Amino acid sequence: MVVLRTAHIIDMQTNTLTKLIFQGLTIIVLFFATWYILSRFDWMTILNVEKVTDKTEAKLGDLFWEVFQKTEKETKNPEVIAAIDSIVTKICVGNDIDREFIKVHVLLKEDVNAFALPNGHLVVFSGLVTASENPEEVSGVLGHELAHIQLKHVMKKLMKEVGLSVLVSMTTGNGGGGEMIKETAKMLSSTAFDRSLEKEADMKAVDYMIKADINPEPFADFLYRLADIPDEIAKYTQWISTHPESKERAAYIREYAKGKKHSTFKPILAPETWDMLKDKLED
């Protein structure tokens, strides 16, 4: 009698354990099935976020550029504009980038800087050119900023730092007025992206240069050289000061470029064009 009761208890415990295991497996299966089904939907399209972001980006680009247009001096020299445009165009053509989407602006400012704004605005300070030893160095920086544009880093940064709702409100006139727009524009011109995004832009810049037959080695040289500038002029090298670990970046750029086979590189600008460009911007 005792033996039968013990066996019955064991059977009940076994059945209970079996039920628990079955329930656990069912929950796990339901979880992954639900995840799989939900992952099949294009939520960006369903929620219309991508469409809203594209419209917002276009308006933000114009608003932010107006800030710099009103506060800084833009060069109107056709020779300067043509020279910078030719560098950007060569990179774009070599990498199937929509050149018409990229809007290049050259500002007469001694800071060593270049930065991207929403909607394809690429802003270059004259100080970047005058601090460079050759056009390939400039090409590396411009390639880096083009990568930020093409990889959507600009809007990713804005949505992380400011938020989509605030960005949308800026474009509708309800985002705190001009001051909020000015502060956000300043943030884009004076702060770096996340380290992972900066490295991604560096690697993409090297790819861009190689595909456009531009030697990427001077890009690394540029980073090495400006990383060692004296403290008293560091404030003018904004592009370097907001992009930390310049020597480390130069090292991995060189290492990455070594793995990219290329027979010959071509000059991005004729020597006389480069000399003219520097002379015009140093005046």
Side-chain angles (χ1 to χ4, degrees), residues 13-162:
Q13 290 176 337
T14 302
N15 290 336
T16 301
L17 180 60
T18 301
K19 287 180 180 179
L20 289 173
I21 293 173
F22 178 76
Q23 289 173 353
L25 290 173
T26 301
I27 292 171
I28 292 172
V29 170
L30 286 174
F31 170 80
F32 283 105
T34 303
W35 173 83
Y36 177 79
I37 292 170
L38 291 176
S39 69
R40 298 298 91 189
F41 290 100
D42 185 354
W43 292 106
M44 289 292 285
T45 301
I46 292 172
L47 299 175
N48 209 27
V49 171
E50 188 172 344
K51 187 175 180 181
V52 171
T53 304
D54 288 344
K55 289 183 178 179
T56 301
E57 180 178 359
K59 292 181 180 179
L60 285 173
D62 293 338
L63 288 172
F64 293 153
W65 167 237
E66 284 178 12
V67 172
F68 296 100
Q69 202 171 25
K70 291 177 180 177
T71 57
E72 306 292 347
K73 185 178 179 181
E74 184 180 12
T75 183
K76 301 297 182 183
N77 188 305
E79 292 179 300
V80 169
I81 296 170
I84 298 296
D85 274 348
S86 68
I87 296 175
V88 174
T89 298
K90 187 172 179 63
I91 296 172
C92 288
V93 170
N95 293 275
D96 296 322
I97 297 172
D98 183 0
R99 179 61 183 87
E100 292 185 5
F101 178 69
I102 307 301
K103 297 163 275 290
V104 182
H105 313 284
V106 183
L107 299 182
L108 297 173
K109 194 167 183 176
E110 62 184 345
D111 298 46
V112 181
N113 200 14
F115 54 91
L117 296 175
N119 201 37
H121 288 275
L122 175 57
V123 183
V124 184
F125 285 0
S126 59
L128 172 66
V129 177
T130 57
S132 298
E133 294 185 350
N134 52 65
E136 284 72 24
E137 292 186 354
V138 175
S139 301
V141 175
L142 297 185
H144 177 97
E145 297 304 327
L146 283 170
H148 281 317
I149 293 172
Q150 292 300 109
L151 297 171
K152 301 290 185 182
H153 289 174
V154 182
M155 287 304 293
K156 286 179 182 178
K157 178 180 177 69
L158 285 173
M159 295 211 306
K160 179 181 178 180
E161 300 289 335
V162 181

Side-chain angles (χ1 to χ4, degrees), residues 112-113 127-129 131-134 136-138 140-141 216-228 237 239-240 246 250 254:
V112 181
N113 200 14
L128 172 66
V129 177
S132 298
E133 294 185 350
N134 52 65
E136 284 72 24
E137 292 186 354
V138 175
V141 175
E217 188 77 14
F219 181 30
D221 295 340
F222 176 80
L223 292 169
Y224 266 124
R225 189 175 70 257
L226 293 191
D228 290 328
T237 57
W239 200 83
I240 293 295
S246 294
R254 278 189 175 147

Side-chain angles (χ1 to χ4, degrees), residues 225-258:
R225 189 175 70 257
L226 293 191
D228 290 328
I229 59 168
D231 291 340
E232 61 269 19
I233 61 172
K235 63 180 180 180
Y236 297 116
T237 57
Q238 206 166 45
W239 200 83
I240 293 295
S241 64
T242 58
H243 293 66
E245 308 297 339
S246 294
K247 289 186 177 181
E248 178 186 325
R249 292 173 62 210
Y252 67 61
I253 285 171
R254 278 189 175 147
E255 190 62 30
Y256 182 70
K258 283 181 183 177

Side-chain angles (χ1 to χ4, degrees), residues 141-206:
V141 175
L142 297 185
H144 177 97
E145 297 304 327
L146 283 170
H148 281 317
I149 293 172
Q150 292 300 109
L151 297 171
K152 301 290 185 182
H153 289 174
V154 182
M155 287 304 293
K156 286 179 182 178
K157 178 180 177 69
L158 285 173
M159 295 211 306
K160 179 181 178 180
E161 300 289 335
V162 181
L164 181 58
S165 60
V166 175
L167 295 173
V168 172
S169 65
M170 283 184 193
T171 64
T172 58
N174 300 314
E179 283 306 312
M180 174 68 78
I181 293 171
K182 288 178 184 177
E183 287 301 313
T184 307
K186 183 179 179 182
M187 175 190 73
L188 288 174
S189 69
S190 60
T191 60
F193 292 83
D194 291 345
R195 191 167 181 173
S196 61
L197 298 185
E198 292 293 2
K199 185 170 185 177
E200 187 179 12
D202 283 337
M203 300 296 96
K204 183 61 73 173
V206 172

